[in-house]
Amino acid sequence: MRGTLRWARADLRARRGQALLTAGVVAGVVAALVLATMLLEGATNPWKGLFNRTHGADVVVWFSYGTDTRNLHNLPGIQQVAPGYEVAPATLEQTSVKSPVQLTAMPASEPPMSAPLVVAGTWLRRSQPDGAVIEASFAAAAHVGLGDQISVQSVDAPAVRVNVIGIADTADQGFYPQWTPGLIWVQQPVLNLVEPSKSEREYAVGLRLRDSSAAATVQVVQEIYNTYNGSAEGSVVQRFSTWRQVENSMASQDRLLGLLLALFGIIALVAAPCAIANVTAGRLLMYRQDIAMLKALGFTPGQVVRMLLAEQTGLGVAGAILGVVLARVVTSPEFIQPPGGVPIGLAPLPTSWVTLIAVGTVLTVAIATAIPAWWAGTVSPVAAVQASPPRGHLSLIARLGLLVHLPAPLVLGARDSLTRRLPAGLTVLGVAIPMVMITIALTCWSTIDGFSREPGRIGLAAGLTVRQGSYPNPKGVLPLAERVGTAYQAASFDTLLPGDNGTFTALAVGSSFGAARYPFHVVAGRMYRSPDEAVAAQGFLDLMHLRVGNLTSVIIDGVYVDLHIVGRILYPDNNGDVIAFGLDTLTAADDPQQSPQFYSVVLRPGMSAESARALLLRLSDQRLDVQLVANPADGLGIMRVVIAVSVCVLAVIGLANLLTACAIGVRDHRHEVGVLAAMGLTPRQVMATLVVNTTLLTAAGVALGVGFGVVVAPRLINMQGQASGMGSGMAAVPSVLMVVSIVGVALVIATSAAVVLARRTLRQADTAPAAQLRSPAQAPAKAQ
């Protein structure tokens, strides 16, 4: 045991760079896995992070105004009762648009529970009594920003104007409009002006429970009802909401986002073990002569295996601890700030999850070490004194080099690159795997960019939705809309599926003929050309068990319609449960003229949606109802963070693999340096031989990885689109320039690393050139 520890300590001191590389790769993998898990949890379930940051309530109960809530402190299961706040229903008036809101009277100081998280502006201030803070998702839907002056009004009181001084998130209510009404926090004097009648107000109280499980929460709520005569008519308990209801509401926001992040989780799980295995196995392959020397000194195969396992596992433990610390530092509030108005961020992970990631990574190191360590235990002691000559046939590349009379360094480097088949295969595989993952990540980036630049690809060619509002002349809406683009008359219907077991969206837009057809992007089949034809998204086809080319009969707005599905489109709304056709389809099926519900406006090139909206509102004297069409790609912004982190980590893993491959190749050919010099090669030619050897293997790995990634990545993304209801056809491959850049950067890094290591090898060889030509195992000649 003492000899084993001494050797391990001496080895770590002698090869500090290799030891740091192994520990660094493990640390990077652990930190990346922790960060990816936090991003995945935060994006697919943003409630968790908000709940912790805002000290959210497990249950919020709304009582009638004036209810004595002191009894809540004595009820079993309740751990903490927050100070109650008065709330009142009101209406936010924006020209012709009226939105229901809930005003909550809050103090200027931060409350101990359910404190809204300000993401833009400031919280309520005593110095600005008419200030208001608006919930972020409601502010985005109502197009309200910092500095705006808004008008709120109750039923029996005049309108009150307040200034928006802040935008905040909360974990006590889901995102608007899935969860209504919209939330506005004001100070008590403002609420008194908006709703002077106390009988119309309510009293909201937040509760923290000792046990927040579903069964315990239901029991506490029932106890509150019983205490406050909940079963009697006229109960003072108006309503309540639980943390599970809010979590479920927030978690269902974007299936596509969750699926794409799950894809990155799979990428991390595949890349991490492969990277660790490659670096660990590569390090052990460099020990061949050292291990043979230990065997010659009397170490048994079992001692060699245990020694290597202990050393590599120790490096894995050190790297895992470093990775956990690194992830902790990077995800601290000092480094991570929530983006303004975006309720998605990093969700805190329980200690058990972090421990599982760290332990799993260390086990991966141990497993990756086991097979090379067993192989090392079988090394013959003879290898300590005589290097094994390379075996195998002359490679095809070397033969071609000889035929075209390439310089000797290139031919020798090409010969060495593929002569040792197993190390060459490990090098190519170690480089190819990270390149596959990087290519998949960049394909996801290109897909998201495609959605942002060309929203028409996912059925969102229109930038604005225009409704009549209070505009006096309905027929005059269309000419106004044509000022900013092409306006298509449209109507949308939520339609029951056969058997009343669900709904889908029937979208009638434009005409079925010529240039008046709405510019849907058809990914399979063709566009409709007559009133009896339609296109559908994948979600609708799955619901109805149909394919392109099938006939279907549906009842739309009370009208029985037979449709021939001639094409498939990408459409993000309602999980892809959408069928689209011309507005004249309903006119042909029903005698009365079908009037449009709204106008979908495809903007002219170069015109932004915001400027077009402002122009239409100005032309209509603020009487048109003009809404921006939300692009779901905007909600995938967090994916850019995930992709950037993934590419950086994969680049580090790929760099570690490249350095390992270079070190193995140069060390494996160190004994040949003197031979090459004796053959007449100059130092530069010897170095070129070593560099060509590594560069060819790297080029093979990069080409294999990028080529495989370009083929596989679109298929994986289309599979995700299929599962999300949008359907296949959404993937966009990286540009040729991006692919060439990836290959070029990888080759430059590999060549630079090989040059540095080759120079070091030449300097070491210059100190004892004769040693490279001598075989100590050869017996000396007898004297005559």
Side-chain angles (χ1 to χ4, degrees):
M1 177 60 70
R2 181 179 299 177
T4 300
L5 294 177
R6 291 179 62 186
W7 181 87
R9 183 175 60 183
D11 178 67
L12 293 176
R13 287 180 176 178
R15 297 182 174 90
R16 295 176 181 175
Q18 298 172 17
L20 291 175
L21 179 63
T22 302
V25 169
V26 175
V29 167
V30 170
L33 288 175
V34 171
L35 186 59
T37 306
M38 295 176 72
L39 283 168
L40 174 60
E41 185 70 11
T44 57
N45 186 8
W47 172 87
K48 192 171 185 179
L50 283 175
F51 184 82
N52 286 276
R53 294 175 71 99
T54 62
H55 310 288
D58 294 324
V59 178
V60 179
V61 185
W62 283 266
F63 295 94
S64 298
Y65 184 82
T67 303
D68 186 2
T69 59
R70 288 177 294 181
N71 291 334
L72 293 174
H73 295 271
N74 303 322
L75 294 182
I78 297 179
Q79 182 179 16
Q80 183 182 357
V81 180
Y85 306 110
E86 294 184 22
V87 299
T91 301
L92 172 64
E93 297 186 351
Q94 296 173 294
T95 61
S96 61
V97 181
K98 296 183 179 181
S99 305
V101 297
Q102 173 186 290
L103 293 182
T104 303
M106 298 284 280
S109 58
E110 183 176 302
M113 189 188 302
S114 300
L117 177 65
V118 177
V119 295
T122 63
W123 181 241
L124 301 174
R125 296 177 292 182
R126 293 186 180 91
S127 60
Q128 196 167 359
D130 62 342
V133 177
I134 301 184
E135 193 271 329
S137 62
F138 176 62
H143 305 290
V144 176
L146 290 177
D148 290 351
Q149 191 176 65
I150 59 177
S151 176
V152 290
Q153 183 179 18
S154 64
V155 177
D156 300 323
V160 176
R161 302 191 69 84
V162 295
N163 295 309
V164 179
I165 62 173
I167 296 175
D169 292 326
T170 179
D172 290 344
Q173 177 170 308
F175 299 140
Y176 186 90
Q178 286 78 13
W179 197 301
T180 54
L183 296 181
I184 301 179
W185 296 278
V186 295
Q187 298 185 61
Q188 186 67 49
V190 175
L191 187 138
N192 294 338
L193 290 175
V194 175
E195 183 53 79
S197 175
K198 295 185 178 180
S199 62
E200 298 296 329
R201 305 180 196 174
E202 293 177 342
Y203 199 63
V205 180
L207 307 174
R208 273 291 181 97
L209 308 183
R210 292 187 176 90
D211 181 4
S212 59
S213 63
T217 302
V218 171
Q219 186 174 357
V220 169
V221 171
Q222 187 60 49
E223 188 69 28
I224 294 174
Y225 268 107
N226 294 337
T227 302
Y228 289 91
N229 300 319
S231 59
E233 183 179 358
S235 169
V236 296
V237 179
Q238 301 297 315
R239 65 190 188 279
F240 70 92
S241 68
T242 67
W243 67 269
R244 287 186 177 274
Q245 294 172 331
V246 180
E247 181 185 29
N248 292 335
S249 173
M250 289 185 175
S252 61
Q253 286 298 297
D254 202 328
R255 287 179 58 194
L256 179 59
L257 175 60
L259 289 170
L260 286 175
L261 286 169
L263 173 62
F264 274 93
I266 295 173
I267 291 175
L269 291 176
V270 172
C274 293
I276 294 173
N278 185 70
V279 173
T280 305
R283 189 164 185 260
L284 293 181
L285 286 175
M286 299 173 63
Y287 287 169
R288 189 171 186 274
Q289 287 187 310
D290 295 342
I291 293 169
M293 181 63 71
L294 294 175
K295 297 286 289 293
L297 293 175
F299 277 71
T300 66
Q303 287 177 317
V304 172
V305 172
R306 289 192 297 271
M307 178 176 60
L308 293 176
L309 280 173
E311 181 182 0
Q312 296 299 313
T313 305
L315 289 175
V317 172
I321 295 174
L322 180 62
V324 171
V325 173
L326 179 62
R328 176 69 177 175
V329 171
V330 171
T331 58
S332 62
E334 289 76 13
F335 286 85
I336 299 296
Q337 297 294 333
V342 179
I344 293 178
L346 295 171
L349 292 183
T351 305
S352 58
W353 285 33
V354 178
T355 303
L356 180 63
I357 292 174
V359 172
T361 307
V362 174
L363 288 178
T364 302
V365 174
I367 294 172
T369 307
I371 296 178
W374 173 83
W375 171 83
T378 62
V379 172
S380 171
V382 178
V385 292
Q386 184 174 7
S388 299
R391 292 177 293 178
H393 301 288
L394 197 63
S395 65
L396 178 61
I397 298 178
R399 294 178 184 177
L400 292 176
L402 290 174
L403 288 176
V404 298
H405 302 289
L406 289 177
L410 299 181
V411 176
L412 292 173
R415 174 191 67 84
D416 288 343
S417 63
L418 298 176
T419 300
R420 297 167 175 83
R421 302 294 172 86
L422 178 59
L426 291 176
T427 300
V428 172
L429 185 63
V431 173
I433 290 175
M435 297 309 300
V436 170
M437 303 304 172
I438 289 176
T439 306
I440 293 175
L442 293 179
T443 303
C444 289
W445 186 290
S446 299
T447 301
I448 295 173
D449 275 349
F451 288 169
S452 300
R453 292 194 308 267
E454 303 177 48
R457 289 184 53 211
I458 52 176
L460 302 177
L464 297 176
T465 297
V466 181
R467 288 179 169 83
Q468 178 185 348
S470 60
Y471 196 72
N473 181 15
K475 294 183 179 180
V477 174
L478 189 59
L480 289 180
E482 295 287 356
R483 294 282 298 269
V484 297
T486 304
Y488 297 88
Q489 301 182 43
S492 179
F493 308 92
D494 289 331
T495 307
L496 287 174
L497 288 170
D500 295 347
N501 57 354
T503 63
F504 66 92
T505 300
L507 182 62
V509 56
S511 174
S512 300
F513 303 98
R517 287 180 300 186
Y518 187 80
F520 284 111
H521 179 69
V522 181
V523 294
R526 61 175 176 82
M527 189 62 175
Y528 49 76
R529 299 171 183 168
S530 64
D532 61 340
E533 294 181 344
V535 293
Q538 186 65 49
F540 175 81
L541 297 177
D542 294 340
L543 278 175
M544 302 290 287
H545 306 288
L546 298 173
R547 293 183 300 178
V548 174
N550 291 158
L551 296 172
T552 184
S553 299
V554 292
I555 300 176
I556 302 173
D557 196 27
V559 179
Y560 191 83
V561 182
D562 293 323
L563 293 171
H564 179 207
I565 300 177
V566 296
R568 180 173 63 84
I569 61 174
L570 300 177
Y571 206 83
D573 290 352
N574 200 24
N575 290 326
D577 303 339
V578 176
I579 185 171
F581 42 82
L583 189 64
D584 51 354
T585 298
L586 299 182
T587 303
D590 191 16
D591 290 336
Q593 179 72 24
Q594 176 68 41
S595 60
Q597 299 174 357
F598 58 92
Y599 297 86
S600 290
V601 182
V602 178
L603 302 176
R604 294 173 182 172
M607 175 165 285
S608 66
E610 291 79 6
S611 60
R613 179 176 183 268
L615 177 60
L616 290 177
L617 290 176
R618 187 172 69 253
L619 293 174
S620 64
D621 295 328
Q622 308 295 320
R623 286 177 291 181
L624 282 178
D625 180 6
V626 185
Q627 301 293 330
L628 302 179
V629 176
N631 188 342
D634 298 336
L636 296 177
I638 189 65
M639 283 297 300
R640 301 181 190 274
V641 180
V642 179
I643 293 172
V645 171
S646 301
V647 169
C648 291
V649 172
L650 290 169
V652 172
I653 291 174
L655 179 60
N657 288 331
L658 285 176
L659 293 177
T660 303
C662 293
I664 293 174
V666 173
R667 184 181 176 85
D668 198 28
H669 294 80
R670 183 176 296 172
H671 66 280
E672 300 176 0
V673 172
V675 177
L676 295 175
M679 291 171 57
L681 271 69
T682 65
R684 289 183 179 274
Q685 290 176 320
V686 173
M687 185 172 65
T689 300
L690 301 177
V691 172
V692 167
N693 172 27
T694 301
T695 304
L696 285 177
L697 294 178
T698 303
V702 170
L704 178 63
V706 173
F708 186 76
V710 168
V711 173
V712 170
R715 288 172 171 78
L716 288 176
I717 294 175
N718 286 330
M719 288 172 59
Q720 299 297 318
Q722 191 86 6
S724 69
M726 288 185 63
S728 60
M730 56 186 288
V733 297
S735 63
V736 176
L737 178 61
M738 183 180 294
V739 173
V740 172
S741 300
I742 296 172
V743 175
V745 170
L747 292 179
V748 169
I749 293 175
T751 304
S752 301
V755 168
V756 172
L757 293 175
R759 284 180 175 175
R760 183 181 302 174
T761 301
L762 288 176
R763 286 197 300 267
Q764 294 174 354
D766 288 341
T767 59
Q772 306 295 337
L773 303 175
R774 210 176 43 201
S775 177
Q778 184 178 0
K782 294 183 180 179
Q784 299 295 331

